[in-house]
Amino acid sequence: MARGGFPRGGGNMGNMMKQMQQMQRKIEETQQKIEEMEATASAGGGVVEATVNGKKEVVKIHLDPEILDPEDVEMVEDMVMAAVNEALREIGKVSDQEMAKVTGGMNIPGF
């Protein structure tokens, strides 16, 4: 053992801590980049579009005026819901892919 009761090669722990800090910075940068991304999906053959951001917030809904039939509100609601859910799935996939680039595929809780 080296002086102070620490095993030899303690510098490896310091290097590991530096690497973890670098990874944490990259994760934070990637999270910020993801928050700025947007994904758009459509439903009903494109008559309904929903756009969400990386914070998983709906930022835009577009409805083609031809579907605004007061007699069929339920269909429009279903298409809006389908488009929003698909856009959320898409931004989730993009987010996962971006984070995997940083973490090397490791599943880090909380990220």
Side-chain angles (χ1 to χ4, degrees):
M1 281 208 169
R3 286 182 279 164
F6 291 106
R8 293 186 189 273
N12 288 338
M13 180 61 91
N15 287 339
M16 193 163 88
M17 291 301 291
K18 283 182 184 179
Q19 288 175 340
M20 292 300 291
Q21 288 171 342
Q22 287 174 343
M23 181 180 277
Q24 183 177 2
R25 276 193 302 276
K26 286 181 183 179
I27 288 171
E28 289 169 359
E29 290 168 2
T30 301
Q31 285 176 320
Q32 185 174 2
K33 177 181 167 185
I34 289 168
E35 287 179 2
E36 295 169 3
M37 293 179 166
E38 290 186 350
T40 300
S42 64
V47 294
V48 173
E49 284 186 352
T51 302
V52 298
N53 63 21
K55 296 177 190 177
K56 299 185 179 175
E57 299 168 330
V58 177
V59 295
K60 181 180 175 188
I61 297 286
H62 172 74
L63 305 175
D64 189 321
E66 73 182 41
I67 65 165
L68 299 176
D69 179 358
E71 303 283 322
D72 209 0
V73 172
E74 190 174 321
M75 180 189 70
V76 174
E77 291 171 342
D78 289 345
M79 286 191 291
V80 169
M81 183 175 55
V84 168
N85 285 331
E86 183 59 30
L88 287 169
R89 278 190 289 277
E90 184 64 30
I91 200 69
K93 285 192 291 189
V94 170
S95 176
D96 291 347
Q97 291 168 351
E98 290 296 317
M99 289 306 289
K101 290 177 188 177
V102 175
T103 64
M106 288 189 317
N107 187 9
I108 300 175
F111 292 108

